[in-house]
Amino acid sequence: ISRPSSPAAESDKSQSPQSQKGSTSSIKPKKDKEAKKKGRNKEGVLERSVLIEGVLFRARYLGSTQLVCEGQPTKTTRMMQAEEAVSRIKAPDGETQPSTEVDLFISTEKIMVLNTDLKEIMMDHALRTISYIADIGDLVVLMARRRFVPHEMEDPPKINRTPKMICHVFESEEAQFIAQSIGQAFQV
């Protein structure tokens, strides 16, 4: 697992991932500083083998919110949804923003959020459930499809269920590189 340093190149402000599945190994971070840079080329793009193994980024988890998502939204609609999630979660300027220090583990198989202090997994999303990733300044918005869990097994499944997205908001100086890395994970 690598912990990359800041990107050397600019990327699009948002990534629209496409589903693909891969494999991963353990999530023990490397301590060696050279290992941080080893997996990236001069453009700041992660090497294929690094993404398969997995990459860790330090971030602050600000919160999550749920949004209704109908049909096949356009990239513009997704970006508006990401901005809506940020407006619901981010504290107004001048107010204290509650947050938790986390490590974001990104691989070709999944995205996990690990609580840095408690050393426990907070979230574990299969990569195929991620529908959109956006970086807005130093914020990263991760949008994942919600799994439907029936409340009572005796109830027949509702045909017209409204699909919902869970939107997680993170803050990091490497927001753009995190979004770029998730986009790359779909291409490996």
Side-chain angles (χ1 to χ4, degrees):
I1 304 202
S2 299
R3 227 186 242 285
S5 57
S6 297
E10 295 291 315
S11 70
D12 290 334
K13 273 298 180 195
S14 61
Q15 301 286 333
S16 184
Q18 299 169 1
S19 294
Q20 187 172 344
K21 200 172 176 188
S23 64
T24 186
S25 60
S26 70
I27 56 173
K28 295 177 186 169
K30 291 181 181 176
K31 306 253 190 235
D32 182 22
K33 287 190 177 190
E34 285 304 309
K36 289 182 179 184
K37 296 179 184 176
K38 192 166 123 179
R40 271 197 328 198
N41 65 20
K42 63 184 176 189
E43 290 85 31
V45 176
L46 291 170
E47 292 177 7
R48 185 176 196 271
S49 60
V50 171
L51 274 171
I52 290 171
E53 185 181 334
V55 184
L56 280 175
F57 291 94
R58 181 65 45 96
R60 289 177 43 219
Y61 170 66
L62 304 184
S64 299
T65 188
Q66 185 170 273
L67 296 174
V68 172
C69 179
E70 296 185 30
Q72 294 290 342
T74 63
K75 187 175 180 178
T76 304
T77 301
R78 285 282 196 224
M79 195 61 190
M80 287 174 30
Q81 290 172 327
E83 290 168 352
E84 168 70 15
V86 168
S87 71
R88 289 184 187 186
I89 293 168
K90 186 115 170 71
D93 289 339
E95 291 186 23
T96 304
Q97 176 70 54
S99 65
T100 303
E101 289 290 323
V102 297
D103 282 326
L104 281 172
F105 172 77
I106 301 166
S107 76
T108 56
E109 184 179 302
K110 64 173 75 180
I111 297 175
M112 289 186 351
V113 179
L114 310 156
N115 183 312
T116 308
D117 296 329
L118 302 176
K119 307 268 191 266
E120 67 182 18
I121 298 171
M122 293 172 58
M123 295 167 229
D124 188 353
H125 291 289
L127 196 64
R128 68 181 177 274
T129 67
I130 306 302
S131 64
Y132 194 74
I133 181 79
D135 60 297
I136 304 169
D138 63 351
L139 300 177
V140 176
V141 181
L142 180 69
M143 300 172 78
R145 292 184 297 278
R146 298 280 307 203
R147 288 181 295 192
F148 176 72
V149 180
H151 294 286
E152 294 181 29
M153 294 299 210
E154 295 176 13
D155 287 346
K158 295 178 183 171
I159 295 171
N160 292 328
R161 288 191 310 244
T162 304
K164 295 188 174 71
M165 302 294 284
I166 185 78
C167 301
H168 305 295
V169 179
F170 303 90
E171 186 174 50
S172 172
E173 292 176 1
E174 298 183 306
Q176 187 176 24
F177 190 48
I178 292 169
Q180 178 185 355
S181 298
I182 295 170
Q184 286 178 316
F186 281 91
Q187 297 168 8
V188 173

